[in-house]
């Protein structure tokens, strides 16, 4: 079961990273490097302030628990749930750092 969950988790995360890299190619092609870095810094400051506890604001999340049907689907249920967790479509998010990493992929990190 753990193997299928881990596989789904990896597949979901790779999908998000690929889409973010492809979509991020557009602002990286249109905006100059200093503008992209400044925009990323503007996004990073509130996130980092939130992480050290100086400001409070909610982060986007899909706060849903594991559905009961997943247990009945055995391996495929674990794979599906892992994929949903990997994409961020079914998870609690106590931190804003994953959103900052996504912003970095969109604005700063070039698609290899």
């Amino acid at each position: 079961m753990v193997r299928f969950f881990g596989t789904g988790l990896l597949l979901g995360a790779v999908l998000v990273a690929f889409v973010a890299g492809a979509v991020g190619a557009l602002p990286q092609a249109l905006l100059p490097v200093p503008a992209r870095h400044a925009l990323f810094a503007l996004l990073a400051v509130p996130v980092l302030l939130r992480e050290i506890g100086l400001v409070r604001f909610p982060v986007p999340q899909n706060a849903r628990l594991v559905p009961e049907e997943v247990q009945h689907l055995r391996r495929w249920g674990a794979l599906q749930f892992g994929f949903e967790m990997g994409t961020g479509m079914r998870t609690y998010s106590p931190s804003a750092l994953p959103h900052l990493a996504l912003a970095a992929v969109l604005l700063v990190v070039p698609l290899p």
Side-chain angles (χ1 to χ4, degrees), residues 17 20-21 23-25 27-28 36-37 39-41 43-44 47 96-111:
V23 170
Q28 290 184 21
R36 288 188 287 119
H37 286 194
L39 183 58
F40 179 71
L43 292 171
V47 169
L97 291 177
H99 302 285
L100 187 59
L102 181 61
V105 170
L106 289 171
L107 295 171
V108 181
V109 179
L111 186 65

Side-chain angles (χ1 to χ4, degrees), residues 58-98:
V59 294
Q61 64 178 335
N62 192 359
R64 299 186 310 179
L65 296 175
V66 180
E68 197 170 313
E69 309 88 60
V70 169
Q71 298 173 17
H72 303 296
L73 295 174
R74 300 195 185 253
R75 291 180 229 171
W76 300 116
L79 183 71
Q80 174 190 345
F81 187 71
F83 183 80
E84 291 174 354
M85 288 283 290
T87 60
M89 298 310 295
R90 185 185 299 260
T91 183
Y92 285 94
S93 183
S95 174
L97 291 177

Side-chain angles (χ1 to χ4, degrees), residues 4-18:
F4 287 93
F5 175 77
T7 301
L9 198 64
L10 181 65
L11 290 173
V14 166
L15 175 67
V16 169
F18 178 75

